[in-house]
Amino acid sequence: MSIPAHIIELDKNDALSELRAEFLLHEGLIYMDGNSLGPVSKGAKRRVQETLEQQWQQDLIKSWNAHNWIDLPRIVGDKIAPIIGAKAGQVICTDSISVNLFKLLSAALAMQPSRRIIVSEQTNFPTDLYMAEGLAQQLGKSRCELKTVAKADIGKALTEDVAALMLTHVDFRTGEMLDMQAITQQAHDKGILVIWDLAHSAGAVPLALDLHNVDFAVGCGYKYLNGGPGSPAFIYVAERHLEQFNQPLSGWMGHAKPFDFAASYKPAPGIDRALCGTPPVLSLAALDGALEIFDDIEINQLRSKSQDLKVTLLEALAQHKLENESLKLITPTTPDKQGSQLSFSHPHAYAISQALIDANVIVDFRAPNIVRFGFTPLTLSFTEVYQAAEVLADILRRRTYLDGRFSERSKVT
Ligand SMILES: *Cc1c(COP(=O)(O)O)cnc(C)c1O
């Protein structure tokens, strides 16, 4: 496939192109799924090896102090803080998004004793809704009720009986990004606490949690932050709420003095109270190593390249006149409303995603009919994105996706 001169020029002028060498990705594989599972970086690999061979293997239990294992959730949290526009001391790395949402929703309800409604959006990531449902069931209807509305109706749903608004900033299906500042302000005007899920935002789009007065947030370690499979999530609690923030998963790691082994729980003074049990040290080491890359770059640079990469894909597809192919862009076309992915719907979306993967263009499928292209500017080149568009156009034109082998489904899709 010959690459047009203007695409080659874009790669030449790309200030981030050298970062690709920091990742262990094989040539020839076009990885457009860093929004689902970020690739392995050299930093992550080195930190895991060091933690295993020099710390666990050599120093065994002494490592909790000697290598600061005990402080890793906080150390890694403080590295994530600037990526999300937060001052240090408000972010800690622990558990999964699901578990952290349970902590935040519980604490937010307790902070709003005269209110009982949690508002969310009906196409939110299911686990977010499931966790709220579980809490509502546990507390009973008199104390908690989940109300889900369409995106367009969020404003109307913000009434004075609402305790907390829980939203995902970038929609995992459509890639639509919400206006965090405006919505947070709107909720605060009614006395509502706001919880943002940053799973598809952290490490991809500029965020200003402190500046926008966000109350609480959660985010993912294994997506754009490249922490690896099962990497712990992070939780953000604004400094002004830390003292009143009491979460029910009051495990010993969140205690003011875990090694006093006191009979009764007393929460740690700061963000450490968001912890529950023993930290997953190997996973935290991987995430810690993966975050090194973010030391030297501005999120604005990533955002700007991501926007250009998306334009490259759309322009290359437009050349192929695919109007009759039922492929429909479902991501908003306004750049300010886009996260770092483009999603297309198609009746054969699953088979198309399998045919793309077979041709070494790794994308993912989201039920029922979405093919999702993730744009991770740390590793992707303009040439690769152009090639991905050519492969997609070819699959559509030749109807390669009708081949039966592309319709078989595995457990994880
Ligand atoms: C990936 C993702 C999650 C994952 O939740 P875990 O509990 O960490 O598995 C949650 N919310 C959103 C919006 C996601 O995209």
Side-chain angles (χ1 to χ4, degrees):
M1 177 189 312
S2 76
I3 309 297
H6 75 277
I7 301 287
I8 293 173
E9 200 59 23
L10 284 167
D11 276 327
K12 260 196 210 146
N13 296 328
D14 172 15
L16 300 176
S17 63
E18 284 169 18
L19 294 172
R20 166 66 173 249
E22 296 299 314
F23 287 88
L24 301 159
L25 271 166
H26 31 123
E27 275 319 306
L29 187 77
I30 301 179
Y31 194 65
M32 301 192 74
D33 221 351
N35 55 330
S36 243
L37 178 67
V40 182
S41 65
K42 289 180 181 167
K45 185 172 174 179
R46 196 190 59 249
R47 281 286 280 117
V48 171
Q49 272 177 335
E50 167 192 292
T51 307
L52 193 126
E53 292 166 11
Q54 280 150 45
Q55 302 180 3
W56 182 18
Q57 191 178 323
Q58 298 287 331
D59 296 334
L60 286 158
I61 201 157
K62 287 189 285 181
S63 302
W64 284 104
N65 290 312
H67 302 294
N68 234 346
W69 285 358
I70 196 69
D71 291 327
L72 265 181
R74 185 68 177 264
I75 291 169
V76 178
D78 282 342
K79 286 188 183 175
I80 293 170
I83 296 173
I84 60 172
K87 198 158 53 76
Q90 304 171 98
V91 183
I92 202 155
C93 216
T94 181
D95 300 318
S96 58
I97 286 188
S98 307
V99 172
N100 288 333
L101 281 172
F102 188 82
K103 298 173 191 168
L104 290 179
L105 289 166
S106 310
L109 276 170
M111 286 165 70
Q112 303 266 51
S114 62
R115 303 177 178 218
R116 60 177 196 97
I117 309 285
I118 296 170
V119 169
S120 193
E121 186 265 313
Q122 63 205 15
T123 66
N124 198 349
F125 194 90
T127 204
D128 299 40
L129 302 178
Y130 300 163
M131 295 311 291
E133 273 180 40
L135 181 65
Q137 200 156 37
Q138 188 191 29
L139 295 178
K141 214 168 178 171
S142 64
R143 200 46 211 110
C144 176
E145 191 180 341
L146 171 66
K147 186 172 158 188
T148 57
V149 296
K151 278 202 178 80
D153 297 329
I154 293 171
K156 269 189 291 178
L158 302 178
T159 50
E160 290 184 355
D161 52 351
V162 176
L165 170 65
M166 171 183 69
L167 292 173
T168 294
H169 183 224
V170 174
D171 189 303
F172 79 105
R173 292 188 185 88
T174 64
E176 176 174 358
M177 182 162 78
L178 297 177
D179 185 338
M180 184 180 291
Q181 181 171 22
I183 295 173
T184 302
Q185 184 59 53
Q186 223 181 337
H188 284 175
D189 289 346
K190 302 281 179 177
I192 300 165
L193 293 165
V194 187
I195 302 170
W196 286 101
D197 182 337
L198 309 176
H200 288 276
S201 314
V205 302
L207 294 164
L209 266 61
D210 286 351
L211 186 70
H212 296 159
N213 269 318
V214 168
D215 301 292
F216 307 111
V218 292
C220 208
Y222 55 81
K223 291 174 180 159
Y224 292 98
L225 298 180
N226 309 312
S231 174
F234 64 85
I235 181 167
Y236 162 93
V237 177
E239 194 173 36
R240 64 184 179 282
H241 294 315
L242 276 172
E243 221 169 296
Q244 306 92 273
F245 175 75
N246 289 305
Q247 56 98 356
L249 303 181
S250 44
W252 68 314
M253 286 294 150
H255 193 280
K257 297 198 162 150
F259 290 91
D260 276 5
F261 296 101
S264 177
Y265 184 76
K266 182 168 169 259
I271 187 69
D272 293 57
R273 64 175 57 192
L275 295 176
C276 182
T278 305
V281 172
L282 289 171
S283 282
L284 277 166
L287 180 55
D288 188 39
L291 289 170
E292 284 169 12
I293 281 177
F294 290 88
D295 287 348
D296 303 324
I297 49 167
E298 299 288 332
I299 301 296
N300 284 329
Q301 288 177 280
L302 293 179
R303 174 62 170 173
S304 157
K305 181 173 169 186
S306 159
Q307 299 293 64
D308 294 343
L309 288 169
K310 284 183 283 179
V311 169
T312 298
L313 186 89
L314 293 176
E315 284 182 354
L317 284 176
Q319 298 282 317
H320 288 278
K321 315 232 175 304
L322 300 166
E323 289 80 4
N324 297 326
E325 296 298 340
S326 317
L327 186 77
K328 197 165 147 250
L329 180 68
I330 59 165
T331 304
T333 50
T334 318
D336 286 354
K337 290 190 174 172
Q338 296 180 344
S340 202
Q341 72 183 58
L342 288 175
S343 300
F344 298 88
S345 66
H346 191 286
H348 294 277
Y350 180 77
I352 289 172
S353 66
Q354 290 303 305
L356 281 163
I357 294 166
D358 188 62
N360 280 333
V361 178
I362 312 296
V363 296
D364 55 20
F365 161 77
R366 282 294 171 264
N369 63 348
I370 298 170
V371 187
R372 204 168 68 159
F373 290 80
F375 294 83
T376 45
L378 290 172
T379 64
L380 270 178
S381 69
F382 290 91
T383 298
E384 287 177 307
V385 169
Y386 175 82
Q387 288 170 323
E390 295 299 292
V391 171
L392 174 59
D394 189 63
I395 288 169
L396 290 170
R397 221 182 305 103
R398 292 173 193 261
R399 305 268 195 277
T400 318
Y401 55 84
L402 294 177
D403 186 328
R405 73 194 162 109
F406 296 133
S407 295
E408 286 159 26
R409 302 208 182 193
S410 317
K411 195 165 173 187
V412 176
T413 60

